[in-house]
Amino acid sequence: MNNISFLDLKLAPEILRAVTETGYTTPTPIQAQAIPLVLEGCDLMAGAQTGTGKTAAFVLPMLQKLMPFASASPSPARHPVRALVLVPTRELAIQVEASVKTYAKHSHLRSLVVFGGVDIKTQTPHLRGGVEILVATPGRLLDHIEQKSVQLNQVQMLVLDEADRMLDMGFMPDLKRILALLPKQRQNLMFSATFSNEIKRLSSEFLVDPKLIEVARSNATSANVTQKVYLVGHGEKHDLLAQLLRGDDAKQALVFTKTKLTASRIARQLQREGFAADAIHGDKSQLERMQALDAFKSGKVTVLIATDVAARGLDIDQLPMVINYEIPSAAEDYVHRIGRTGRAGAFGNAISLVSPDEEKYLAEIEKLIKCQIERAEPLPPVKPVVRPVERPVERHAPRADYPVRSHTPHHSVSKRPVHDAWFNKPYEPSVSTQVKETPLVVQSVKPVSQIPALFMRRKPAESNE
Ligand code: AMP
């Protein structure tokens, strides 16, 4: 830990005031290290992931350096783009720009966020109006460059945030095109959670004599998060998930899957079962993703199924539960995923459903976090349910003693479909079922561990995101 306070960082009073208003008193380690270096004008290669306070680590010194250019003039010419922040996803773009706005609110510095998936025409007038700080996803920025709605010849600071994700998502060609359009004389900051060879190559290409800082990777998981693993077959996962979501701890849950297809499939199935569920992933339109996120944040949607990429930048306080429907093959992603719960002093649950083929990843995770995750006992059987037996005879020809179209209510019962939504709910016989002719069968739903292997063969065969 460090003993530096924000006062020691020599930030302008306008910026300090905004920081104080957010309630932060002490810089995080990445902030304490990065801010002085950026203020000195160094290029920076910073190893830090979401949750470390990395956004303020570049935004605060960026604002400080741009303060001399702040102008109250309405003229666009007085507000050229001076700092460009490139990010891989729309969610992160929105989040970063919201931070910029928060910290810049007592200055005349302007900021804007542009990302794809929304009508470009809605962004153009704002861009033409002039902004000092532009946060953008690479593809949409290139669109604006082509349409000549933005000039980048005054950029003096470039930030590549989550550079590793940008490379993962195939943004390298776009990045190169953008970098070629920037003034040679500029300060460059690169933030990345990992230091792959590709990242090192990228940094050697565009950073000049960079200072390297790396905050201790937060591979330690929070003590506020209770972690559990259920060892289950693939085919058991959905039933177990539904059972967990019905529990008291799961008032709101973020469910992670590896692939977009799985995320969509689970969301659809849960919706059919009566859950307020939705999915976010790269195939959804920007509008759909924003709507799903807003609905989740407001509590209208209680189960959000997300892929790692789509969940980047998703920042929800007080999230009680994270469920790994599939555990990630990269152990660091596990730490990142479960860090979404148990924030700000709150308690959280992180549950992982691990099938036999995933146990090797579980071992990697446990090695990384240096502890063995508790293996949970199979859940007890859900309450006995009473299900009416369908009378096949009524599907065909109505019999005289069971007139299907009768207006007397008791005959309607055997036509009632037995579907998933109420399969696991205690069955409350209504008036229409209390007739002596209608046979009833009392069944106990088996715990998932007792479902015969025959039903566990479903194999996910989806492409990775
Ligand atoms: P980031 O890594 O930038 O996504 O930030 C993670 C979280 O830490 C965000 O919710 C920030 O608002 C919060 N945060 C950033 N800086 C500080 C600080 N100095 N003290 C407390 N919280 C902070």
Side-chain angles (χ1 to χ4, degrees), residues 7 11-24 102-103 105-107:
L7 288 174
L11 298 171
E14 294 91 330
I15 303 172
L16 266 182
R17 202 172 128 207
V19 171
T20 310
E21 282 168 9
T22 57
Y24 306 154
T102 302
Y103 300 128
K105 67 179 168 193
H106 299 302
S107 76

Side-chain angles (χ1 to χ4, degrees), residues 6 24 26-28 31 49-56 95 103 315:
F6 277 111
Y24 306 154
T26 317
T28 64
Q31 291 162 5
Q49 47 196 333
T50 304
T52 54
K54 68 177 169 64
T55 315
Q95 197 178 310
Y103 300 128
D315 191 12

Side-chain angles (χ1 to χ4, degrees), residues 400-453:
D401 51 341
Y402 291 104
V404 173
R405 297 202 177 275
S406 163
H407 290 293
T408 50
H410 61 273
H411 294 296
S412 61
V413 63
S414 55
K415 289 206 54 146
R416 193 168 168 179
V418 177
H419 68 80
D420 293 342
W422 59 273
F423 182 77
N424 281 332
K425 289 191 184 141
Y427 183 66
E428 290 167 0
S430 63
V431 176
S432 64
T433 64
Q434 294 166 2
V435 290
K436 66 176 182 345
E437 302 96 320
T438 310
L440 298 172
V441 175
V442 178
Q443 283 195 346
S444 174
V445 175
K446 287 185 177 171
V448 285
S449 60
Q450 291 173 19
I451 297 172

